[in-house]
Amino acid sequence: MSGDSVKNKYTVLLPTYNEKENLPIIVYLITKYMDEGNYPYEIIVIDDGSPDGTLDAAKQLQSIYGSEKIVLKPRKKKLGLGTAYMHGLKYATGNFIIIMDADLSHHPKFIPEMIKLQQQENLDVVTGTRYVGTGGVYGWDFKRKLVSRGANYLTQLLLRPGVSDLTGSFRLYKKQVLENLVSSCVSKGYVFQMEMVIRARQYNYTIGEVPISFVDRVYGESKLGGTEIFQFAKALLYLFATT
């Protein structure tokens, strides 16, 4: 284990809403790969008042893994992804923050690759990409693929961010960098991740990419709908005009 690994601690932020079936699996996989890599870590579960019993499942996981590994910071209702990260950051004790979805679309096996790339190049941000190298998307219908590809293409055309996958939400940040980006972003929901990358480039933060396999959620329903697509288009034009 390198000296960097000894002094660094990784906080995984897991915003959840109706993820009772997925949460035990994703927590098991995160602990597996973090333990194998001997990385000090904690998982902060930010549940937004899930009616399906996600918080109860999280409490059971905390009793299994311990309160130092599983930290519960629930909220009473859905208040947006950006505010969920801000809420979780207040309690994070790690100097690096990993953000990922709790629905099993992001496999924790890629976390060690992100950590390795960050350490090699001292990057501010490492983001998972579905669109270069061995990256890919599995389980999506044509509409979802079209929306994602179209969103990335339009953003590349208008904003030229220098990153291949802007709408992904599997990333590793230096804690201070994430705090700065979250506080500067105005978008919410589906658009939030895109703005984070645009702001990172605006502030000259260094960004690296790791190819990942994205798998559509196993349990539950996708939260992407027509409203999110409209908000994306609106925010894209806003960022084009202001950055």
Side-chain angles (χ1 to χ4, degrees):
M1 182 166 60
S2 70
D4 286 339
S5 298
V6 173
K7 65 183 179 181
N8 290 329
K9 181 177 180 181
Y10 299 88
T11 297
V12 182
L13 297 184
L14 274 187
T16 59
Y17 186 77
N18 287 349
E19 301 291 358
K20 181 177 70 173
E21 292 93 346
N22 295 317
L23 189 61
I25 306 171
I26 195 70
V27 165
Y28 164 75
L29 289 170
I30 292 170
T31 59
K32 175 181 185 291
Y33 287 97
M34 297 305 279
D35 287 341
E36 285 179 357
N38 290 321
Y39 302 117
Y41 70 97
E42 64 186 354
I43 302 169
I44 299 182
V45 180
I46 307 138
D47 186 63
D48 277 0
S50 297
D52 74 337
T54 298
L55 185 56
D56 291 334
K59 289 176 180 176
Q60 291 180 29
L61 292 168
Q62 188 179 57
S63 69
I64 295 169
Y65 293 98
S67 58
E68 289 189 357
K69 292 293 187 193
I70 310 295
V71 181
L72 307 183
K73 296 298 176 183
R75 305 190 295 177
K76 291 184 178 180
K77 61 180 180 178
K78 292 181 74 174
L79 298 168
L81 194 58
T83 60
Y85 291 144
M86 291 177 73
H87 182 71
L89 273 169
K90 289 188 294 185
Y91 306 100
T93 61
N95 58 322
F96 284 90
I97 309 294
I98 296 165
I99 64 169
M100 61 190 303
D101 294 342
D103 62 4
L104 302 179
S105 57
H106 299 143
H107 201 297
K109 68 181 179 181
F110 297 108
I111 293 176
E113 295 180 32
M114 291 179 165
I115 293 173
K116 182 180 179 182
L117 181 62
Q118 189 285 320
Q119 291 179 347
Q120 286 175 342
E121 303 184 20
N122 190 28
L123 297 167
D124 296 312
V125 184
V126 177
T127 183
T129 177
R130 298 162 287 185
Y131 301 129
V132 297
T134 55
V137 176
Y138 304 91
W140 274 4
D141 59 20
F142 178 74
K143 177 187 173 185
R144 286 294 303 277
K145 288 182 178 179
L146 184 64
V147 168
S148 180
R149 281 285 193 179
N152 273 283
Y153 176 76
L154 282 173
T155 308
Q156 298 287 350
L157 191 66
L158 293 177
L159 302 178
R160 303 186 183 282
V163 175
S164 65
D165 190 347
L166 288 124
T167 56
S169 53
F170 191 5
R171 295 176 185 162
L172 168 66
Y173 292 90
K174 290 180 178 177
K175 184 180 181 182
Q176 185 61 56
V177 168
L178 181 58
E179 288 174 338
N180 293 342
L181 291 174
V182 168
S183 63
S184 68
C185 286
V186 298
S187 306
K188 295 181 180 179
Y190 184 62
V191 188
F192 178 76
Q193 303 294 0
M194 176 187 73
E195 185 177 357
M196 293 271 279
V197 174
I198 302 303
R199 298 294 179 195
R201 284 298 188 203
Q202 192 176 22
Y203 300 149
N204 294 316
Y205 288 135
T206 53
I207 307 174
E209 292 188 300
V210 167
I212 63 165
S213 303
F214 179 96
V215 181
D216 198 19
R217 60 166 48 247
V218 178
Y219 299 107
E221 296 181 357
S222 170
K223 301 172 181 73
L224 175 64
T227 302
E228 286 76 16
I229 295 170
F230 172 76
Q231 292 298 328
F232 171 83
K234 182 179 174 183
L236 178 59
L237 292 174
Y238 169 78
L239 288 170
F240 178 64
T242 59
T243 61

